[in-house]
Every structure is written in structure tokens, then in C-alpha cells.
């Protein structure tokens, strides 16, 4: 294991006013911070309103927003994407954030925490795997998913049955660290070229 902690960005992928993501993000961040190998940065896409049209000449305010998000993503060595499932897919602001960036994702691992109705957001995750493959990122097999998410948490923001989701989070985070450190060492030895 490297002496340096792995810099992980937890990306909250929904920006809806009624979103449940921040509740899950708070719980997951507490789980991630129990891992001494991780330095966590929570990146809420609601704080980075990007235009849908990706352009080489954005308006100054859009360019500043895109640059601020890109800088945060560039610092990360690994990602956890927290996504709901909207209409059998992931949210548009998440796709926009992915599309405004490219090299920031390359040769870095991506884990997923998903939530939704009966599917627990897993259809959104399967689509994101295809998108991140195009970005030259490595997606993790194991995920954390919440089926009927709002009903699985207490009003205080803690899961009603914490053991199962905590075990899933630990498994995914351990894999994220393994891949993150391995890919960091590989990038240090030989820069990745897409």
C-alpha cells in the first residue's frame, strides 16, 4: 500500500430540488472516512450548473464553472458516482459533467452508489459503465445500491438496516483503493495515452 492516501471524489449526480442523494452521500461519506487509505472530496453537481451544450467557446460564467469542476475532478485519483435512476437512466446533469471533461477520468477507477425504486438504480449504473468505458476509466464490479431508497433510511439520515449496506460500501471502497493505488503507480511509471 502506498503511504499517500488515495484522493477520492464522491460525485452527487442529481441536482433535482427533491433529490434524495445528499442523504445517501452523507451516509456514504461517513463510511468512506472510516477507511484510512482515503482522502474524500464531496463534489455536488448542484454546485456546478453547466450548460448542456459543450462548446469550445463557452460564456465566461460557464467557462468558470466548468474550470472549477474540472480542477476538482483532476485532483481525484478515483471516483464514486452517486446516481439515482430517472426513467431507466442516470440524470442529465451527470452526463453533462462527464462530457465537459475527458482526461480527468482517464486511467482512474470509478465505483457506484445507486438508488431508485425496485431496481435500486442499477440500470443507471449499467449505462454509466458504457459511458465511463469511453472515457478510458475502469469501473468496479461491486456497487452499493438502495432499492426504494427513501424507505430504507430513518429520518435522521441513517440506514434502517446498516449492516448490509455498510458491508457493500466496505467491499466497494476496498476495491476502489486497490485499483486506485495500482493505477496511480501505473500512471507514475508510464503516462496514460488515450
Amino acid at each position: 500500500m502506498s503511504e499517500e492516501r488515495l484522493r477520492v471524489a464522491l460525485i452527487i449526480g442529481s441536482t433535482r430540488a427533491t433529490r434524495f442523494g445528499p442523504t445517501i452521500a452523507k451516509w456514504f461519506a461517513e463510511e468512506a472516512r472510516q477507511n484510512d487509505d482515503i482522502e474524500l472530496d464531496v463534489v455536488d453537481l448542484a454546485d456546478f450548473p453547466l450548460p448542456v451544450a459543450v462548446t469550445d467557446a463557452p460564456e465566461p460564467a460557464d467557462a468558470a464553472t466548468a474550470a472549477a469542476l474540472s480542477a476538482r475532478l483532476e485532483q481525484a485519483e478515483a471516483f464514486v458516482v452517486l446516481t439515482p435512476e430517472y426513467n431507466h437512466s442516470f440524470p442529465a446533469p451527470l452526463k453533462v459533467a462527464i462530457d465537459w471533461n475527458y482526461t480527468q477520468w482517464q486511467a482512474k477507477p470509478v465505483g457506484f452508489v445507486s438508488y431508485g425504486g425496485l431496481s435500486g438504480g442499477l440500470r443507471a449504473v449499467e449505462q454509466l459503465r458504457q459511458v465511463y468505458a469511453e472515457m478510458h476509466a475502469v469501473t468496479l464490479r461491486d456497487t452499493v445500491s438502495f432499492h426504494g431508497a427513501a424507505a430504507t433510511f430513518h429520518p435522521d439520515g441513517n440506514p434502517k438496516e446498516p449492516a448490509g449496506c455498510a458491508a457493500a460500501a466496505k467491499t466497494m471502497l476496498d476495491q476502489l483503493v486497490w485499483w486506485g493505488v495500482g493505477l496511480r503507480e501505473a500512471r507514475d511509471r508510464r503516462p496514460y495515452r488515450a
Side-chain angles (χ1 to χ4, degrees), residues 147-159:
H147 306 263
T152 64
F153 280 76
H154 291 293
D156 67 2
N158 291 309

Side-chain angles (χ1 to χ4, degrees), residues 54-194:
V54 178
T55 175
D56 291 335
E59 295 295 322
D62 294 336
T65 299
L69 176 60
S70 294
R72 297 274 290 277
L73 298 178
E74 184 66 38
Q75 291 301 311
E77 299 173 297
F79 304 96
V80 174
V81 175
L82 171 59
T83 185
E85 182 176 311
Y86 296 156
N87 301 319
H88 287 215
S89 189
F90 54 92
L94 179 54
K95 182 65 163 74
V96 170
I98 293 168
D99 289 348
W100 271 93
N101 294 278
Y102 185 65
T103 59
Q104 292 79 2
W105 311 113
Q106 289 180 352
K108 297 177 183 177
V110 181
F112 298 101
V113 177
S114 65
Y115 62 100
L118 292 176
S119 75
L122 293 174
R123 291 178 289 215
V125 169
E126 291 309 308
Q127 291 181 23
L128 281 166
R129 289 184 193 286
Q130 296 174 50
V131 174
Y132 276 109
E134 188 63 22
M135 297 292 121
H136 295 256
V138 177
T139 61
L140 304 183
R141 177 195 175 277
D142 291 300
T143 64
V144 181
S145 62
F146 293 94
H147 306 263
T152 64
F153 280 76
H154 291 293
D156 67 2
N158 291 309
K160 291 179 179 176
E161 297 181 18
C165 52
K170 181 176 183 339
T171 296
M172 191 262 285
L173 288 166
D174 287 347
Q175 291 175 7
L176 190 73
V177 169
W178 190 91
W179 279 102
V181 171
L183 289 170
R184 173 205 289 161
E185 293 170 354
R187 289 190 310 273
D188 288 347
R189 285 195 308 271
R190 179 179 294 175
Y192 185 81
R193 290 182 178 83

